[in-house]
Amino acid sequence: MPTEEELFTAVDALLEGDPQLPSPAERARLREAAGVTQARLAQVLKSTTQTVKNWENGRSEPRPPRLQAYQRLLEGWAAKYPLATVPETLPGSVEQPAAPQSLDEPNRPSATSPSAPDPLRAASPASPSVSRRPAAKKADSKSASKPAPSAAAVDERFANGPLAVLDGDGSAYCVGGLVLDCPAKTFPALVDWALSEAKLGAPRLNRNGKDADPLIVLTDTAAERLGLPAVLEDRRGLRLAEDHKVVKQLAKAKWRLTKRGFGPWARVYRPAEGGKRQCVQFAILPWGALDTRSWGDTGQLPPADVAAVLGMYATRVLTPRGSTAVCGLELMSALRPPTCAVKDAATGSWVSGPNPGSMTEPVDPAPPEAPAEHPLVAALHPRHHVRTPDQVIDEEAYDWFRPLTDEECTQGYTHAVGLDVNMAFAAAANRLVIGTGPATHVKNPAFDPKLPGSWLVDLSHIETDARLPSPFTPKGTRPTGPAWYSTSTVAYAVELGAPIQPSEAYVRYEHGAYFDAWYTHLRNAYMATMADLGVEAGMSEADFLAAMARHKNVDPGQAAVLSAIKSTVKGGIGKLRERPQSIKHKFGEPWPALQRPTWSPHARAELIGKVRTNQHRKLMAWARAGLFPVAILSDCAVYLSHGPSPLDFMPHTPDGKPLPGGFRLGVSPGMVKHEGTRDFLWLAQTIEDDQINPARHIKGDDAPDSGE
């Protein structure tokens, strides 16, 4: 046994070592709790705002002497703002707000007075009556590794993590291999258990947001035990009949369901009283809650493995609360809540008000931005009218291919190789400025690349090489006259040196880089998951290609998380212009999605225009080196090659570096990976005989395009 003196010496050595900082997420929480901006902190520490951002997203660490100063500041904030307490309002800062309304909750006040206690912050968690299973029964998860500890893990209110997967014997599998005993045999009892004893949930992602509700995932045996049918008979409405006994049980116990009813993703709640929120999210696995297109076979895994996969997603992205598309949209609101606490000048009390820089309320689109079913369009055109380019904006991803030239057919090419842009839609969201307020109609405006909006302008005079797609249309064809374009697209036309004179525009004077936090959050989740799969930044091109060839087989659970993250990006962007879902919808009538502040076809058009022009800029760089694509689908471009690998044709500088401005192999968003290789004869037949875009099947398994 070591002596007391030896132990004290070892401890003193630790104390004298380098300062130990809290996790990046905790650094950001403490700064926000103190009401200090990143710019102000950078000024105090004689650094830059970007450096502070890097410290808070884990991309870099401070060095002496800033390290010691930063640690001292964080320790002071930690003493003032412990995780389980609500910080006092400081001069110039905003106090903790109440929760904004969720996408699928019924219409009700979205925020309460910030002086009212938060439902989970207010109640000091009592010792749970549930029991932990012996260590021997800890989850034997083989398909997914445990989530790394985070700042959320030390929050005693959510000591058992964000979610639990319930089995038929009452075992509730949580993250990290923990198994709890759940005595509930009815849904009302299960809701009570989830809110009182289970200690499930996750802290808010933004100080103006709300804590994540507990998620209970039901396996087929758990669903049967609680009285749910094995199959949801209403496949159109995807909800349990209102006269079903489970729905009646909940109603009798005075629990409510949201407007979408009791379906694969069900939210059970009671109206907030005095700031106390009571809400539980359910995912019913036998009803298809986990779509195989996003989650693979996660829904068929053992409960412990399901908990590991969903727990990792909850830790890195957010607690699932619907499809990955729903999660992508809700993540936007979680990171930039529409409301915050503001002081009423007349009364001096704190009230809920618009959060600057967020999408704070529903806004009508400009007529050319609205889909055909929208009331604005229905008032202008009859139902079956096909709008022309000067009547509707058409910002979509590429779907283009061209015939092979005689020279290409005689150059001895043996293969067609596809290159896919990593997280292309997320990368385009970075630093993208979009409108957050209503559109203003102007005639004959001077184009302003810093002003987001939609512009009616003639770009048909801009010539491009026939071996390249036009940057202005999804089909890659040259415009034939005036058409509506987003600011991103018109700005690229200016970059190409073309004279621009819009005849009219719908511009948005309220704007900002709304997606920045969303991009950073998802990029970090993606990069961390790729690193777990053996693909890291800084690899050589050959090592990267080798790692990508095996990454999906390294850990099936992590691979499922990666798939879900990608689906979250593309699905969330698609939700920005969600169209009517109900078969009962009548043309020209509004639909529920229009009531969301985040319903913004303008934002979607701006982002997809940025994706397409980003891609075209890289196509141009390679074209100057003599390389031209033969097909593009969404974020995948196909090139001819004398070998099966991207390294067989990708251009490099004399010193072996990737050609500046073009596509680069690597894991980071915006860089590219090898999508697939087919032989040259297949490509020629697909183009010439079948008239099919070969990029759609370049993977070799007839997989459909993975774009939005």
Side-chain angles (χ1 to χ4, degrees):
M1 293 289 291
T3 65
E4 180 178 298
E5 182 178 355
E6 290 174 337
L7 292 174
F8 275 41
T9 301
V11 169
D12 290 341
L14 280 177
L15 292 174
E16 293 172 0
D18 291 335
Q20 298 298 309
L21 298 177
S23 69
E26 177 66 359
R27 301 170 200 174
R29 185 194 73 81
L30 290 171
R31 177 185 54 75
E32 291 176 351
V36 176
T37 65
Q38 291 176 327
R40 174 59 178 155
L41 178 55
Q43 182 182 19
V44 170
L45 295 178
K46 304 296 189 291
S47 186
T48 65
T49 303
Q50 184 58 53
T51 298
V52 173
K53 289 181 179 180
N54 291 342
W55 295 346
E56 292 185 356
N57 63 30
R59 296 186 67 182
S60 66
E61 294 292 335
R63 297 180 179 180
R66 291 188 180 89
L67 174 59
Q68 289 80 3
Y70 191 38
Q71 184 197 31
R72 182 176 181 182
L73 178 63
L74 293 175
E75 287 175 349
W77 282 343
K80 293 180 67 175
Y81 311 118
L83 194 59
T85 62
V86 180
E88 297 178 357
T89 301
L90 300 180
S93 68
V94 179
E95 197 175 21
Q96 293 283 357
Q101 185 173 340
S102 176
L103 293 178
D104 54 359
E105 289 183 15
N107 294 328
R108 58 180 177 83
S110 62
T112 57
S113 170
S115 60
D118 180 88
L120 293 174
R121 289 182 183 270
S124 177
S127 299
S129 61
V130 294
S131 63
R132 293 173 183 256
R133 295 294 178 89
K137 195 180 176 183
K138 280 204 170 186
D140 53 344
S141 173
K142 298 179 181 179
S143 66
S145 57
K146 298 177 184 178
S150 65
V154 301
D155 192 327
E156 187 59 27
R157 298 170 302 151
F158 313 124
N160 294 329
L163 57 88
V165 180
L166 188 62
D167 208 349
D169 63 357
S171 299
Y173 295 82
C174 306
V175 297
L178 175 66
V179 184
L180 304 176
D181 286 318
C182 176
K185 295 182 179 179
T186 66
F187 257 95
L190 180 56
V191 174
D192 290 335
W193 176 81
L195 290 173
S196 60
E197 300 180 37
K199 299 175 78 171
L200 298 172
R204 61 196 68 186
L205 296 177
N206 182 289
R207 67 190 302 265
N208 293 317
K210 62 182 180 182
D211 298 322
D213 299 318
L215 169 63
I216 304 296
V217 182
L218 301 183
T219 62
D220 51 355
T221 54
E224 181 182 2
R225 179 191 186 196
L226 292 165
L228 293 178
V231 178
L232 193 59
E233 294 181 0
D234 181 5
R235 300 311 299 171
R236 283 186 176 272
L238 287 177
R239 63 177 60 197
L240 207 57
E242 294 184 4
D243 60 354
H244 192 276
K245 66 177 182 179
V246 168
V247 178
K248 290 183 176 180
Q249 287 174 355
L250 291 168
K252 185 177 181 180
K254 303 198 181 302
W255 290 106
R256 298 186 184 182
L257 295 167
T258 57
K259 292 181 179 179
R260 63 182 179 186
F262 201 112
W265 290 91
R267 191 179 292 270
V268 178
Y269 75 99
R270 281 180 181 150
E273 294 181 1
K276 185 176 181 180
R277 179 182 172 86
Q278 300 181 84
C279 190
V280 179
Q281 176 77 57
F282 289 94
I284 319 299
L285 294 184
W287 294 357
L290 299 181
D291 192 324
T292 56
R293 292 170 296 181
S294 302
W295 293 100
D297 63 354
T298 299
Q300 306 301 317
L301 296 175
D305 292 348
V306 175
V309 172
L310 296 184
M312 180 62 74
Y313 180 89
T315 301
R316 290 182 174 167
V317 184
L318 84 168
T319 305
R321 57 194 68 179
S323 68
T324 50
V326 169
C327 291
L329 196 67
E330 290 231 7
L331 182 62
M332 296 178 195
S333 297
L335 293 167
R336 287 191 180 273
T339 60
C340 68
V342 296
K343 208 166 204 177
D344 189 310
T347 64
S349 61
W350 290 95
V351 297
S352 178
N355 189 15
S358 296
M359 294 184 182
T360 59
E361 60 183 1
V363 174
D364 282 338
E369 299 164 353
E373 306 91 341
H374 196 279
L376 284 175
V377 181
L380 295 173
H381 307 290
R383 178 168 186 173
H384 298 292
H385 173 76
V386 178
R387 289 184 288 174
T388 55
D390 61 344
Q391 295 174 335
V392 60
I393 194 168
D394 186 23
E395 295 284 15
E396 299 292 344
Y398 272 131
D399 183 357
W400 168 88
F401 66 100
R402 63 172 174 82
L404 300 175
T405 65
D406 292 341
E407 183 181 4
E408 288 169 337
C409 292
T410 59
Q411 287 297 308
Y413 289 113
T414 57
H415 295 85
V417 180
L419 298 176
D420 183 73
V421 181
N422 302 321
M423 300 275 281
F425 295 90
N430 188 27
R431 298 190 297 274
L432 177 68
V433 176
I434 64 167
T436 56
T440 300
H441 188 213
V442 291
K443 288 283 190 179
N444 300 313
F447 176 68
D448 184 351
K450 297 182 179 179
L451 196 58
S454 299
W455 309 78
L456 181 60
V457 59
D458 189 351
L459 302 180
S460 61
H461 60 285
I462 302 177
E463 294 186 11
T464 56
D465 193 299
R467 293 167 292 179
L468 288 175
S470 166
F472 309 122
T473 65
K475 291 295 184 182
T477 56
R478 186 170 174 173
T480 57
W484 286 97
Y485 303 98
S486 67
T487 298
S488 297
T489 300
V490 182
Y492 185 62
V494 173
E495 182 181 324
L496 294 177
I500 300 299
Q501 181 51 61
S503 58
E504 60 178 303
Y506 289 91
V507 296
R508 289 168 170 80
Y509 296 108
E510 295 177 36
H511 55 264
Y514 176 79
F515 292 120
D516 273 9
W518 186 77
Y519 161 75
T520 300
H521 192 81
L522 287 165
R523 179 204 62 197
N524 292 345
Y526 162 78
M527 292 294 286
T529 306
M530 290 299 289
D532 286 344
L533 291 169
V535 188
E536 299 186 14
M539 284 182 158
S540 69
E541 292 181 325
D543 288 345
F544 169 72
L545 290 173
M548 286 299 297
R550 61 177 180 267
H551 80 287
K552 290 186 178 180
N553 299 320
V554 171
D555 185 331
Q558 291 282 4
V561 174
L562 177 65
S563 173
I565 291 171
K566 293 180 178 179
S567 295
T568 300
V569 172
K570 292 179 178 178
I573 293 168
K575 281 280 187 181
L576 292 170
R577 196 189 65 164
E578 182 177 357
R579 304 179 85 159
Q581 302 295 311
S582 174
I583 58 174
K584 298 180 181 179
H585 176 262
K586 295 182 179 180
F587 179 81
E589 291 185 352
W591 56 96
L594 303 187
Q595 299 304 311
R596 296 195 305 249
T598 48
W599 191 84
S600 176
H602 147 72
R604 178 184 178 276
E606 202 75 71
L607 195 152
I608 295 180
K610 184 73 174 295
V611 170
R612 201 179 60 250
T613 54
N614 280 350
Q615 195 170 17
H616 195 272
R617 190 177 291 108
K618 295 177 181 179
L619 296 172
M620 289 279 286
W622 274 16
R624 288 190 289 270
L627 273 75
F628 294 87
V630 294
I632 303 174
L633 186 68
S634 187
D635 42 12
C636 174
V638 177
Y639 281 85
L640 299 177
S641 173
H642 291 287
S645 169
L647 297 180
D648 291 322
F649 75 94
M650 293 184 72
H652 290 78
T653 61
D655 58 357
K657 295 182 179 179
L659 191 70
F663 298 107
R664 300 180 60 188
L665 288 171
V667 67
S668 298
M671 300 179 78
V672 299
K673 63 180 181 294
H674 181 204
E675 180 74 352
T677 296
R678 301 292 288 261
D679 64 71
F680 179 82
L681 293 179
W682 171 88
L683 176 85
Q685 179 180 347
T686 303
I687 292 177
E688 304 296 341
D689 298 341
D690 301 334
Q691 292 293 302
I692 295 175
N693 187 341
R696 189 174 299 277
H697 305 288
I698 195 65
K699 285 184 178 180
D701 55 2
D702 289 336
D705 119 75
S706 60
E708 185 202 12

